[in-house]
Amino acid sequence: MAGQNASQRTHRYDAFLSYSHAADSAKADHLRRGLQNFARSSWRQLRALRIFLDNASLAANPGLWPEIERHLADSGAFILLACPRSADSEWVRKEINWWRAGPGARRMLIVVTGGELTWDHGAGDFDWERTTCLPRTMAGMFSDEPRWVDLRWMSEQDPGSLRDSRFQQCVADLAAPLHARPKEDLIGADVTRQRRTKRLVRGALAVITALAVTAGLGWVNAVQQRDEAQRQALLATSRQLAATALNLKDGNLRLASLLAIEAYRMQQSPEAIATLNRLSTDSPHLVSMTSSAKDISALAFSTDDTAVAVGDEGGAVAVRGADGRALRARTSLPGRITAVGFSTDGKRLAAGDDKGNVGVYDLTRKTLRRLAPLPNGVSSLGFGMAGQLAVVDEAGTVALYEESGKKVRSKRRGHSGEVAVFQNVDSHLLVRDGVGGGALYTVPELRTVLESNQLSVPAGQYVAAVSNGGHCFGYLKFGQLISTGLPKLKGHESLAGTCPDFPALPNEEARLLALSDNGRMAVGTASGITVADAQPKGQSGQLRKLTGVGRPSLLRFSDTGDRLASAHGRTVALWNFQQSSRTAHAHGLSLSDDQTMIQSPALATGPDGQVAWSNLMEGDPFGKETRLHVWSPKRRGLLVGGDTLLYDALAFSPDGRTLYAGLSGKVQSWQVQDTRLVKRRTVTFSGRQDDYRDAVVIAPRADGSVVITTDDGAVHVADPSAQRTRIAVPPGTTDPRRGLLSSLSDDGRTAAVENTKGAVDLYDVDSGRKLQSVRLNGEQVNALALAAGGNSLFLEGSKGTLARWDLDDRRFRWQSAEPNGARVTASADGRTVITLSDGGALSRWDADTGDRLGGPDIPIPLHTLSGIGGIGEHTGFVMDRAGTLWTATEGGDVLSWDFSVNSWIKGLCRIADRNLTDAEWRRYVGTTPPPRPTCG
């Protein structure tokens, strides 16, 4: 048995480990390795003991029991890992019963890993009322209290080191009877062996080290050169991909997006980040791009703009949400889909193909009903408010169907209809031609009221279009839309031409035209899409270029004219003209602008996504003038408050439950409750009332105190229960016409204050001691922001220089060479720096290098009363702790902006809606494609 050499052993294994797989798998393996390694006679000995451990799940195959019996018979001892789970284990009980019937208790060792084990000396057995780690089948097995090892301190998830002193003592307790040697001798032998091994290892290491140092120096140099070469190669490839992405973005934004993402993953360089930002902010009206199996041949929006139907040349029709992402329904017809249209309630979809087939798909029941076909391919169709359907084929036949699907009438017109529209509360049907003519029929008789077969377009070099409602139609020639129409007819005023005037287009050849009923025109050219808004009298209409797609093959407005669908081959692009940016998110929070003075709303963010601002809301939705507002994504509705017309600075407490609002001479605290803001107290600034100045920055601290800077350069501290502040840093000016800039660290411990000599002084708020002074190359400081726990100061100079000052090293980390001229804000950790120019341009900067990474523009409100200042001067902006930028614009909206690289990549993957193909990877990267996709 144990303690014998291999030739003397009578058993194959020194011990058999029995345990619960569910509870002690890691402990069992750890114990097996400890027993095998403990007290080896020499380093050449593979193991000191042979321990049987079954790592398989025996419960899954009862046929393994004969094999287990063979290993039990081949073992010299039985080690039980006892715990409540093993006590309940059928397999453990079977193994114990086998051992009890054979070798018996004298060769059984117990290791407690969980539960309780108590011996009843009076009964001479375990106390089965208190013992929870052993099965009841062991009752009477031991005549004397056995010695057991306690491993309950060991974690199953992390058993720890094999050399742990507590574990070594437990191993020695178990190894002594297995080796048939005293525990002290085994421990001594183990220590001796370790020392001998260490001496051998040290000697060997000395020799190896001497040899390795020489070789290592050369190897390290070679590795460094190799790594640098690989880094430079990756950087070059990254820059090449970024440049290619910028070249492709106007005509193929999907591919450009994928290349830009791969450029960033190869090297997170400023060039790669700037490219991601550029692609994320270009083409702001683009919502999404989706693919079809075949070329797109028909498009239509639902009347409420919430869904879009896409038909292709293979006969498939797909219905998606207006953002293009969620697939709501799918159906098909035998031929190429030529027309699709929704019912007014959005519950049905009609589709026609080039073989004359017509189908109506019930979007609620997910069923398709085929109607009586037309003689020729369908060219147009449309639903009436009462549910009837009008269909026109390529030969000019007009068919009218009831809501049940029964054909009511048909009429041969003799020329094709581009648009079929029900008019005058469904009493008439207007069928208009793409060439400018049209006809009016009564419903359901299809009696002709007005017919016009005269062509009113010149020969050649024109494109014609009709709006969804049939009110606006005309042709485009030489960049100018010429509106045509039928004459007014008594009782049918809706027939009058209502196309507005549009601005002339640039000198590009028009290939496609779409018109809306609300005064919007989209033109497809060889280089993309141009959209023109109506031109009011005496004003210039707006032209905008929709980039990111190639030459469109289809253009279709929604009924409201706020959305546009374009097709290019198998790709559908969806556009929303109410969306000002793909990186901005509107939350339905519109601000009013009733001031003739320039004013940017005070703005603050809280720890749980709250945002607070001080400004009247558009339309005064609360029935009274309220200046203080709190909103968050988790809360339903706005919380309002305030008892003054103007607050100068806002800040949330660290827990987000209190909003501090600063104004001239005081700071108020408002409790953020579930339904309202409740004012708790007001703290007055120290000093004479005549000298009170406006609050600039507020920084609440974890201890309940609040730090406030005022525009005279003073730093105030309001203790939790104080009625007045104490002045930590005295004012820097007494001139009421001169205001000084200031900023506070996020924890309120450091203050940066402009002085009257053009420098910025940095103070420790608690002591009021000046720490250092910073001057920006003689430039006047226009904006400043403390970040990174008060360790970085970002300065904006009068000549447009943006610089980062390191407070620890007392030096400039960088100064930008690009003229900027903007205000600045930074995230609390200092990793994200954003500037806002007077013109409304937002720019992200690389905080490590000072490279400008670009950004979007603040949407310009339709009107403003705030003088001649740029939109940036009317906008408050601040970053929350998650790195999201928030802006609030007078006359505009409260918006949140994605400025993280991860959010840009996520948005670009939505636009791409696919991954790089192997062929594209080899073409643009030049290597074997990796197994991971660009967009997972």
Side-chain angles (χ1 to χ4, degrees):
M1 188 187 145
Q4 299 173 328
N5 60 36
S7 63
Q8 297 173 324
R9 284 177 177 159
T10 59
H11 298 92
R12 181 181 179 186
Y13 298 103
D14 293 302
F16 181 100
L17 265 175
S18 179
Y19 65 101
S20 166
H21 290 79
D24 293 326
S25 293
K27 291 181 181 179
D29 183 67
H30 205 62
L31 186 59
R32 177 184 62 85
R33 290 188 291 132
L35 289 169
Q36 288 176 344
N37 293 329
F38 186 76
R40 287 184 295 168
S41 60
S42 70
W43 63 270
R44 293 187 301 273
Q45 186 182 13
L46 183 61
R47 60 179 68 88
L49 295 169
R50 292 179 62 87
I51 308 297
F52 175 77
L53 175 67
D54 179 17
N55 291 320
S57 180
L58 298 178
N61 186 359
L64 289 177
W65 176 246
E67 185 72 10
I68 293 299
E69 285 187 305
R70 187 172 66 82
H71 289 301
L72 283 165
D74 239 354
S75 300
F78 187 94
I79 301 175
L80 171 64
L81 270 60
C83 69
R85 298 288 288 274
S86 67
D88 294 335
S89 170
E90 178 184 353
W91 279 99
V92 172
R93 288 199 301 268
K94 289 180 68 173
E95 291 166 354
I96 292 173
N97 292 337
W98 188 96
W99 193 265
R100 182 175 185 175
R106 62 187 182 84
R107 293 186 183 179
M108 177 178 283
L109 305 174
I110 299 175
V111 180
V112 178
T113 62
E116 297 295 331
L117 189 150
T118 304
W119 181 262
D120 187 344
H121 292 279
D125 199 353
F126 295 106
D127 185 346
W128 294 107
E129 295 299 324
R130 300 169 62 186
T131 297
T132 61
C133 63
L134 298 177
R136 288 276 185 147
T137 55
M138 290 181 64
M141 186 174 180
F142 293 89
S143 59
D144 297 315
E145 180 181 4
R147 185 179 179 185
W148 50 278
V149 176
D150 191 350
L151 274 185
R152 286 177 292 187
W153 55 269
M154 180 183 289
S155 169
E156 171 67 11
Q157 289 73 27
D158 183 15
S161 170
L162 291 175
R163 305 309 302 176
D164 186 292
S165 60
R166 291 183 298 173
F167 181 67
Q168 286 286 294
Q169 289 294 327
C170 296
V171 169
D173 285 335
L174 294 171
L178 297 179
H179 283 278
R181 295 175 61 187
K183 174 181 174 180
E184 293 77 9
D185 291 351
L186 287 178
I187 293 176
D190 187 67
V191 172
T192 300
R193 181 188 62 80
Q194 289 187 55
R195 290 174 178 173
R196 184 167 58 248
T197 302
K198 288 181 179 178
R199 286 196 297 270
L200 289 173
V201 169
R202 286 173 185 156
L205 284 177
V207 175
I208 294 172
T209 301
L211 296 174
V213 165
T214 303
L217 292 174
W219 178 81
V220 168
N221 185 51
V223 169
Q224 289 177 342
Q225 292 181 358
R226 181 205 64 189
D227 291 345
E228 179 62 19
Q230 290 177 346
R231 192 187 71 81
Q232 291 296 333
L234 281 176
L235 180 60
T237 304
S238 173
R239 287 174 172 170
Q240 178 184 349
L241 290 177
T244 304
L246 291 176
N247 288 334
L248 292 173
K249 70 179 181 64
D250 288 342
N252 192 346
L253 184 59
R254 306 181 80 185
L255 177 58
S257 299
L258 297 172
L259 295 179
I261 294 170
E262 291 296 348
Y264 173 77
R265 287 178 176 165
M266 287 185 181
Q267 194 70 259
Q268 297 179 13
S269 63
E271 296 92 341
I273 296 174
T275 302
L276 287 175
N277 180 77
R278 180 72 181 276
L279 268 60
S280 297
T281 55
D282 270 9
S283 200
H285 304 302
L286 180 61
V287 175
S288 67
M289 299 172 110
T290 57
S291 299
S292 178
K294 301 287 184 178
D295 284 352
I296 310 301
S297 56
L299 296 167
F301 282 98
S302 61
T303 56
D304 60 0
D305 285 9
T306 62
V308 62
V310 180
D312 65 29
E313 295 192 350
V317 180
V319 179
R320 295 181 176 273
D323 59 2
R325 295 165 198 160
L327 180 64
R328 298 183 177 180
R330 187 184 294 276
T331 187
S332 63
L333 291 176
R336 170 180 175 268
I337 303 300
T338 54
V340 288
F342 287 90
S343 61
T344 55
D345 60 7
K347 295 181 179 180
R348 293 185 297 156
L349 174 73
D353 66 15
D354 61 351
K355 298 179 180 180
N357 296 298
V358 180
V360 176
Y361 187 81
D362 189 313
L363 294 166
T364 303
R365 299 177 180 177
K366 308 295 184 184
T367 56
L368 177 69
R369 181 176 61 208
R370 296 280 290 273
L371 307 184
L374 273 68
N376 298 282
V378 175
S379 64
S380 176
L381 53 80
F383 279 99
M385 290 186 294
Q388 64 268 53
L389 174 67
V391 184
V392 184
D393 71 8
E394 295 172 348
T397 299
V398 180
L400 189 64
Y401 300 85
E402 292 180 345
E403 186 174 2
S404 63
K406 178 183 177 181
K407 183 188 287 188
V408 182
R409 293 278 192 283
S410 65
K411 182 182 182 69
R412 178 73 179 238
R413 295 184 61 228
H415 55 279
S416 175
E418 289 280 329
V419 177
V421 182
F422 286 89
Q423 300 274 327
N424 301 325
V425 197
D426 289 1
S427 64
H428 293 79
L429 178 68
L430 174 67
V431 180
R432 288 200 159 166
D433 305 321
V435 295
L440 186 69
Y441 304 101
T442 60
V443 175
E445 299 85 0
L446 294 184
R447 179 176 56 83
T448 302
V449 176
L450 185 66
E451 185 78 60
S452 174
N453 295 326
Q454 295 180 346
L455 299 181
S456 55
V457 296
Q461 300 300 314
Y462 72 91
V463 287
V466 186
S467 64
N468 290 356
H471 297 290
C472 180
F473 60 104
Y475 65 88
L476 191 70
K477 187 175 179 68
F478 304 128
Q480 188 70 42
L481 180 76
I482 309 300
S483 175
T484 68
L486 299 173
K488 286 186 179 182
L489 189 66
K490 186 175 181 180
H492 307 292
E493 297 296 325
S494 60
L495 287 178
T498 57
C499 287
D501 293 330
F502 290 102
L505 297 180
N507 188 22
E508 285 189 277
E509 182 180 353
R511 299 172 180 265
L512 204 62
L513 179 65
L515 296 168
S516 74
D517 287 310
N518 70 336
R520 190 164 278 151
M521 175 176 69
V523 181
T525 68
S527 61
I529 304 171
T530 298
V531 173
D533 290 337
Q535 181 171 294
K537 291 184 178 180
Q539 300 182 29
S540 298
Q542 184 181 13
L543 288 175
R544 28 190 161 181
K545 191 80 171 177
L546 304 186
T547 60
V549 297
R551 183 178 71 188
S553 55
L554 284 174
L555 290 173
R556 183 68 181 263
F557 277 111
S558 66
D559 287 357
T560 63
D562 291 332
R563 291 182 178 268
L564 176 72
S566 65
H568 172 69
R570 299 181 178 184
T571 300
V572 177
L574 299 174
W575 313 81
N576 182 1
F577 299 108
Q578 300 300 310
Q579 175 181 281
S580 57
S581 172
R582 285 191 286 119
T583 59
H585 305 283
H587 305 283
L589 307 170
S590 297
L591 277 60
S592 68
D593 184 7
D594 56 354
Q595 302 291 326
T596 56
M597 59 181 287
I598 295 176
Q599 178 67 38
S600 60
L603 190 65
T605 58
D608 296 325
Q610 310 109 306
V611 60
W613 65 94
S614 173
N615 198 88
L616 291 178
M617 297 292 290
E618 185 67 38
D620 193 14
F622 304 101
K624 61 179 181 178
E625 288 192 347
T626 52
R627 283 281 181 175
L628 207 52
H629 306 272
V630 173
W631 176 90
S632 76
K634 301 177 182 178
R635 180 182 293 111
R636 294 183 179 180
L638 282 168
L639 303 184
V640 299
D643 54 12
T644 184
L645 290 178
L646 184 64
Y647 288 94
D648 302 303
L650 301 175
F652 282 96
S653 61
D655 61 8
R657 297 177 182 176
T658 303
L659 177 67
Y660 295 93
L663 57 159
S664 180
K666 55 188 175 182
V667 60
Q668 299 173 346
S669 61
W670 295 79
Q671 186 175 2
V672 181
Q673 297 186 351
D674 291 337
T675 57
R676 58 182 180 145
L677 296 175
V678 178
K679 187 166 73 170
R680 287 305 183 193
R681 69 188 186 104
T682 300
V683 179
T684 305
F685 296 159
S686 293
R688 295 189 311 164
Q689 186 172 355
D690 293 342
D691 297 332
Y692 284 167
R693 301 294 288 263
D694 294 336
V696 177
V697 185
I698 303 174
R701 304 206 284 196
D703 61 3
S705 62
V706 182
V707 182
I708 311 105
T709 64
T710 50
D711 62 357
D712 60 355
V715 180
H716 296 255
V717 178
D719 294 322
S721 59
Q723 299 300 314
R724 293 178 65 86
T725 65
R726 57 181 173 85
I727 297 179
V729 177
T733 179
T734 57
D735 184 354
R737 296 169 299 177
R738 175 72 187 273
L740 299 177
L741 301 172
S742 59
S743 181
L744 293 169
S745 62
D746 191 53
D747 59 7
R749 302 295 177 186
T750 307
V753 182
E754 177 193 14
N755 62 35
T756 56
K757 297 180 181 179
V760 175
D761 298 322
L762 293 141
Y763 295 92
D764 176 75
V765 172
D766 290 329
S767 64
R769 180 172 56 91
K770 183 192 292 188
L771 302 174
Q772 50 192 284
S773 188
V774 184
R775 187 176 294 276
L776 188 58
N777 298 334
E779 292 186 47
Q780 182 71 34
V781 176
N782 285 342
L784 55 89
L786 270 172
N791 293 325
S792 291
L793 175 66
F794 296 94
L795 299 170
E796 170 66 32
S798 56
K799 297 180 181 178
T801 301
L802 180 66
R804 176 187 174 187
W805 175 265
D806 190 303
L807 275 69
D808 292 332
D809 296 341
R810 297 188 174 224
R811 65 182 179 89
F812 283 111
R813 285 292 186 92
W814 47 261
Q815 298 183 54
S816 70
E818 299 180 71
N820 188 41
R823 294 148 61 200
V824 59
T825 187
S827 60
D829 59 10
R831 296 179 180 178
T832 305
V833 184
I834 308 291
T835 58
L836 172 61
S837 70
D838 293 344
L842 290 166
S843 296
R844 176 178 170 176
W845 299 74
D846 189 303
D848 293 328
T849 64
D851 292 315
R852 187 202 293 264
L853 305 179
D857 293 337
I858 297 289
I860 299 176
L862 294 177
H863 63 276
T864 178
L865 301 175
S866 301
I868 60 174
I871 188 62
E873 296 184 55
H874 305 253
T875 300
F877 76 130
V878 67
M879 296 197 71
D880 64 20
R881 296 181 185 180
T884 299
L885 179 74
W886 289 84
T887 63
T889 304
E890 282 188 314
D893 297 302
V894 177
L895 303 173
S896 58
W897 301 78
D898 293 332
F899 266 94
S900 69
V901 171
N902 287 338
S903 67
W904 293 342
I905 291 176
K906 185 177 179 180
L908 291 177
C909 280
R910 284 198 299 264
I911 292 297
D913 193 39
R914 67 177 182 89
N915 293 299
L916 279 175
T917 65
D918 290 353
E920 289 170 337
W921 183 277
R922 290 188 175 91
R923 176 181 178 183
Y924 293 103
V925 183
T927 61
T928 302
R932 57 140 181 90
T934 303
C935 296

